[in-house]
Amino acid sequence: MKRRNNIFLTLCAVMLSALASYTTVSCASGARSASGGEVTGIGGTSWAEPTPYGMVLVSRGSMEVGPQVADSAWNLNADARGISVDAFWMDETEITNAKYKQFVFWVRDSIIRERLADPAFGGNEDFKIEEDREGNPIKPHLNWNKAIPWRNPNEDEARAIESVYRINPITGVKELDPTQLNYRYEVYNHTEAAKRKNRLDPKLREYNTDRPVPTQVPMISKDTAYINEEGEIIRETITRGLTGDYDFLNTYIVNVYPDTTAWINDFENSYNEPYVRMYFSHGGYSDYPVVGVSWEQANAFSNWRTDFLRRALGKDGIYIEPYRLPTEAEWEYAARAGINENMYPWDGDLTMSDDKGCFYANFKPQEGNYVKDGHIITSRVGTYAPNDFGLYDMAGNVSEWTSTAFTESVGKLQNDINPQYRYDAAQEDPYKMKRKIVRGGSWKDVAHNVRSDLRMWEYQNEQRSYIGFRNVRSQIGFAKGTKSGK
């Protein structure tokens, strides 16, 4: 028996060692047969996530969100209300040009791999896997272990690589063709699928036995997208009777390249051409927040980031929560460090220190004077001190997208536990129904507008030179500690 126990403990140690980088595994027997007939429960695998790269843990907590004090000068009402949010990981800085560029280049490389596998460009089957090791057909997917022949490609390979570039007709310079950089992804709407009214079995839609079993088929709206013969992205919202789980699977195709012309379109009578040419492409701006990215593009990045991690983790990747945009409540709780009295990410209502005269954030200090805080546009992420949660630039620098839809009564529509108001606007919906909440203010805003307790909005397809984003990811398991607003 002693030898058998030693073997068991050795196997457990090997399992724990192999999975220590991502999991913690219980080695206890699942069914305790020697329990004397008592119910003792069945153990399972518990997941202890390491800190995701570049993120900090925001422990679950509660606070009063919204303005605490009315301000007639700004037509601001005091409408603070108590909410609670569960723990989540949050990017310590806004997504930078460098990180977003990794997404853009991944899309570029996926297109090249598709073409290298295409018979029209030589048909190298090594770039696309369609069979398993036994020769059985599987769902085709790109082979990312096969390197693109950037150096010394043959004629067909060279045509495939060059096909994603174009020659600028004015300058004659070869440059990446932004119009081709389309990312296709699918999202399963768990929220709609979980609603009782949408259950596939009619008998499970109504629990009240005094009422008849519903006979009417629920109507489902789902988004789909495709590229037509002219190369245009066509988006459609389909409304039909519920037929199965696939009715909750939405398909999106998003062009991922930032709108670099936003610097001119946002400030029409300004000489901002250098930013158009350099802000996203020049290495000197690598650590600056990406801008010119719409809410739709930010969601596409979040989906890609999730898949990128899951592929690296292999089969263990199915257990991770997805990267996503924060809800409005999560963003405000994180920005104010869970402290009711905070209007900003720091203590007090001043935007600079009394003793040293140092600014706490990148914003517009005076009319016409953007540079008083040391910057004229955005600043390198992490330039200013973090808040008590370890988060940088939660005020100023760039405004940030949230996942929450905007309507004038959004505050009254949200619950007080993990508040969220989600509205997936249909393609044919009026434009005003496609508004999403942005938070934090930006480099172009005055001090009042970078307050963390204020709500602003923008249309989900707009790309602005002053709006960026950061990701969150719900924590699996129990958070360490709880914070209540003071």
Side-chain angles (χ1 to χ4, degrees), residues 291-319:
V291 297
V293 172
S294 69
W295 181 86
E296 296 165 349
Q297 290 173 313
N299 276 295
F301 174 92
S302 305
N303 181 272
W304 166 80
R305 188 178 182 183
T306 303
D307 285 346
F308 193 70
L309 177 59
R310 283 177 173 164
R311 279 192 298 271
L313 295 174
K315 63 180 181 180
D316 291 332
I318 63 174
Y319 295 104

Side-chain angles (χ1 to χ4, degrees), residues 29-32 38-43:
S29 174
R32 302 176 184 176
E38 297 292 344
V39 175
T40 59
I42 294 178

Side-chain angles (χ1 to χ4, degrees), residues 57-65 81-88 327 329-334 336-340 389 415-419 475 478-486:
L57 178 63
V58 178
S59 297
R60 63 174 175 265
S62 64
M63 72 173 297
E64 293 180 0
V65 296
R81 63 190 185 91
I83 60 98
S84 295
V85 294
D86 210 342
F88 56 93
T327 66
E330 288 173 332
W331 193 97
E332 182 173 341
Y333 173 75
R336 297 169 65 186
I339 301 174
N340 293 337
F389 281 171
N415 209 312
D416 58 1
I417 176 173
N418 296 319
Q475 189 201 35
F478 297 100
K480 293 182 180 180
T482 301
K483 186 175 182 64
S484 295
K486 297 179 181 179

Side-chain angles (χ1 to χ4, degrees), residues 142-445:
L142 296 177
N143 180 11
W144 287 90
N145 293 321
K146 176 68 174 176
I148 294 174
W150 297 104
R151 296 183 178 181
N152 302 318
N154 62 37
E155 183 177 348
D156 288 330
E157 292 170 341
R159 285 194 303 112
I161 293 171
E162 294 299 320
S163 67
V164 298
Y165 293 88
R166 69 181 183 185
I167 301 299
N168 188 300
I170 306 300
T171 64
V173 175
K174 185 178 78 170
E175 58 190 20
L176 198 59
D177 183 1
T179 63
Q180 297 189 51
L181 301 178
N182 300 320
Y183 175 68
R184 181 186 185 277
Y185 69 103
E186 295 178 332
V187 176
Y188 186 79
N189 192 335
H190 290 275
T191 300
E192 287 300 313
K195 290 182 178 178
R196 186 177 296 173
K197 66 177 184 178
N198 291 333
R199 289 178 178 171
L200 298 176
D201 187 348
K203 298 188 294 293
L204 300 178
R205 297 176 196 153
E206 177 59 70
Y207 281 10
N208 189 336
T209 56
D210 291 338
R211 298 176 181 174
V213 174
T215 58
Q216 187 174 2
V217 177
M219 299 302 292
I220 301 298
S221 291
K222 64 173 294 182
D223 295 326
T224 186
Y226 63 93
I227 298 178
N228 64 16
E229 295 180 354
E230 287 73 37
E232 301 172 320
I233 299 175
I234 305 300
R235 301 176 182 176
E236 295 180 347
T237 301
I238 299 173
T239 302
R240 66 186 185 197
L242 176 64
T243 60
D245 287 331
Y246 278 96
D247 290 323
F248 302 105
L249 190 66
N250 298 276
T251 302
Y252 301 97
I253 300 177
V254 178
N255 184 273
V256 303
Y257 205 83
D259 182 9
T260 58
T261 68
W263 293 100
I264 288 179
N265 290 302
D266 289 341
F267 303 94
E268 187 172 345
N269 295 312
S270 299
Y271 181 69
N272 288 339
E273 288 184 21
Y275 307 140
V276 174
R277 291 190 292 267
M278 296 294 183
Y279 186 80
F280 183 65
S281 60
H282 194 281
Y285 289 105
S286 291
D287 294 329
Y288 285 63
V290 68
V291 297
V293 172
S294 69
W295 181 86
E296 296 165 349
Q297 290 173 313
N299 276 295
F301 174 92
S302 305
N303 181 272
W304 166 80
R305 188 178 182 183
T306 303
D307 285 346
F308 193 70
L309 177 59
R310 283 177 173 164
R311 279 192 298 271
L313 295 174
K315 63 180 181 180
D316 291 332
I318 63 174
Y319 295 104
I320 69 166
E321 285 293 298
Y323 291 101
R324 55 183 175 82
L325 294 178
T327 66
E328 179 192 29
E330 288 173 332
W331 193 97
E332 182 173 341
Y333 173 75
R336 297 169 65 186
I339 301 174
N340 293 337
E341 290 75 21
N342 280 4
M343 290 192 303
Y344 296 99
W346 51 84
D347 295 338
D349 56 1
L350 300 177
T351 55
M352 60 188 302
S353 60
D354 290 330
D355 53 348
K356 297 181 180 180
C358 296
F359 285 92
Y360 294 142
N362 177 16
F363 63 102
K364 182 182 178 182
Q366 292 178 346
E367 183 179 357
N369 189 345
Y370 293 84
V371 300
K372 189 175 182 179
D373 60 3
H375 309 278
I376 189 169
I377 54 168
T378 57
S379 57
R380 182 177 281 105
V381 297
T383 296
Y384 298 88
N387 71 356
D388 288 348
F389 281 171
L391 299 165
Y392 295 86
D393 300 318
M394 295 299 284
N397 213 14
V398 292
S399 298
E400 299 178 17
W401 291 111
T402 74
S403 60
T404 305
F406 176 81
T407 179
E408 283 71 11
S409 58
V410 64
K412 299 178 181 178
L413 296 174
Q414 300 181 76
N415 209 312
D416 58 1
I417 176 173
N418 296 319
Q420 172 67 321
Y421 174 65
R422 172 175 172 172
Y423 183 75
D424 298 324
Q427 187 67 18
E428 63 273 12
D429 275 343
Y431 198 40
K432 68 176 296 183
M433 299 178 71
K434 299 175 182 179
R435 295 176 291 179
K436 306 300 180 185
I437 292 174
V438 295
R439 285 298 202 119
S442 74
W443 59 269
K444 72 163 186 65
D445 290 310

Side-chain angles (χ1 to χ4, degrees), residues 64-70 76-82 411 453-455:
E64 293 180 0
V65 296
Q68 303 276 324
V69 180
L76 193 65
N77 296 321
D79 61 353
R81 63 190 185 91
D453 58 350
L454 297 184
R455 174 185 296 133

